[in-house]
């Protein structure tokens, strides 16, 4: 009998929270502005809310996301309860037709996530990326494969729908494909960091 044992996979959490009418109304009533890149450059890279703490205005949604996040870190990762997290920011992404989102990750946070308030087929998939040469076989080599599998791939696509919640480690690079419909796409993104956390022993103890 032959067995393959996996160690430390990159784990992406996905669940579903039905979109409530008042959340969507909040999104439609929000103020947005275009992303800026310098030198007056503009890209079809989405528009985001002026408010960077929108979950403070949506306490019910905030509570539900935290509930799911606790399942992710306690039931799956088995992180001890002495290590806690809280939102450091949250904002709405507004992607009109033909808009997408460039490859990026989220710095200065531990976990990140996105909740899809309005998303359907052809409105944009989220793809997670790792560097081809940072593979699990031999670091620094970019192999060629006969077939892509979960064990050798360096990109992984999820096709969300309205109500999909995805949470992932903040360092993980991701991008969003182009909105190929004539309907606006809205999602809520957020980051979490340590709060009221203390762990370790003696000179290795850390408190945040």
């Amino acid at each position: 009998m032959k067995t393959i044992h996996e160690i430390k996979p990159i784990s992406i959490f996905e669940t579903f929270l039905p979109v409530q009418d008042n959340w969507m109304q909040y999104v439609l009533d929000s103020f947005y502005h275009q992303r800026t890149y310098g030198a007056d450059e503009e890209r079809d890279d989405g528009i985001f809310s002026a408010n960077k703490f929108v979950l403070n205005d949506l306490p019910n949604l905030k509570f539900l996301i935290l509930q799911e996040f606790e399942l992710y870190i306690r039931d799956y990762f088995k992180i001890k309860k002495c290590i806690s997290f809280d939102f450091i920011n949250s904002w709405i992404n507004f992607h009109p037709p033909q808009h997408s989102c460039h490859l990026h990750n989220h710095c200065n946070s531990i976990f990140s996530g996105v909740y899809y308030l309005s998303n359907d087929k052809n409105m944009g998939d989220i793809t997670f990326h790792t560097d081809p040469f940072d593979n699990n076989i031999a670091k620094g080599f970019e192999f060629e494969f006969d077939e892509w599998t979960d064990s050798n791939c360096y990109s992984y696509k999820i096709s969300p729908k309205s109500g999909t919640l995805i949470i992932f480690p903040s360092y993980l690079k991701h991008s969003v494909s182009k909105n190929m419909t004539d309907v606006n796409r809205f999602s809520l993104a957020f980051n979490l960091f340590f709060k009221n956390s203390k762990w370790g022993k003696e000179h290795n103890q850390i408190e945040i």
Side-chain angles (χ1 to χ4, degrees):
M1 186 175 106
K2 298 177 178 63
T3 303
I4 297 294
H5 298 272
E6 301 284 357
I7 179 172
K8 293 184 180 177
I10 299 176
S11 303
I12 300 166
F13 177 86
E14 178 185 356
T15 189
F16 180 78
L17 299 173
V19 179
Q20 296 184 11
D21 291 342
N22 64 304
W23 302 344
M24 198 63 218
Q25 190 59 53
Y26 176 91
V27 167
L28 296 175
D29 292 342
S30 294
F31 177 75
Y32 299 88
H33 55 77
Q34 184 74 44
R35 299 180 190 271
T36 56
Y37 297 93
D40 297 324
E41 179 185 2
E42 291 189 4
R43 306 180 195 173
D44 293 335
D45 200 27
I47 301 167
F48 58 91
S49 62
N51 184 0
K52 298 303 183 293
F53 306 96
V54 298
L55 283 175
N56 291 340
D57 296 334
L58 300 170
N60 187 30
L61 177 56
K62 182 177 183 178
F63 174 78
L64 292 172
I65 292 175
L66 275 177
Q67 273 193 322
E68 297 298 335
F69 175 70
E70 282 290 312
L71 293 176
Y72 178 39
I73 65 170
R74 310 299 180 198
D75 291 2
Y76 180 76
F77 283 120
K78 305 298 183 182
I79 295 175
K80 289 187 174 181
K81 290 188 176 180
C82 61
I83 305 175
S84 300
F85 301 85
D86 200 2
F87 296 101
I88 55 175
N89 50 24
S90 52
W91 65 98
I92 303 294
N93 293 307
F94 167 25
H95 286 88
Q98 299 302 308
H99 277 231
S100 59
C101 186
H102 66 285
L103 179 66
H104 67 287
N105 58 3
H106 295 212
C107 64
N108 299 326
S109 58
I110 307 299
F111 289 100
S112 298
V114 57
Y115 176 64
Y116 291 87
L117 293 135
S118 175
N119 203 84
D120 208 339
K121 186 177 181 181
N122 298 323
M123 293 181 73
D125 298 326
I126 184 168
T127 301
F128 294 92
H129 308 261
T130 60
D131 293 322
F133 50 82
D134 188 23
N135 60 77
N136 292 328
I137 304 169
K139 303 294 185 182
F141 291 87
E142 185 175 351
F143 289 92
E144 295 180 350
F145 301 98
D146 289 324
E147 178 185 356
W148 294 114
T149 70
D150 289 348
S151 298
N152 65 26
C153 68
Y154 47 84
S155 66
Y156 187 87
K157 182 175 71 173
I158 297 176
S159 300
K161 59 183 179 180
S162 298
T164 296
L165 171 65
I166 298 172
I167 307 174
F168 51 91
S170 297
Y171 68 81
L172 188 57
K173 294 180 180 178
H174 51 286
S175 61
V176 180
S177 58
K178 187 176 293 187
N179 180 1
M180 300 301 293
T181 73
D182 57 0
V183 179
N184 295 326
R185 179 178 73 226
F186 291 97
S187 63
L188 187 155
F190 55 85
N191 294 312
L192 298 109
F193 193 73
F194 300 116
K195 183 178 181 181
N196 300 328
S197 297
K198 184 177 180 179
W199 73 96
K201 296 180 179 179
E202 299 178 351
H203 62 281
N204 290 321
Q205 189 177 82
I206 184 169
E207 185 171 358
I208 299 177

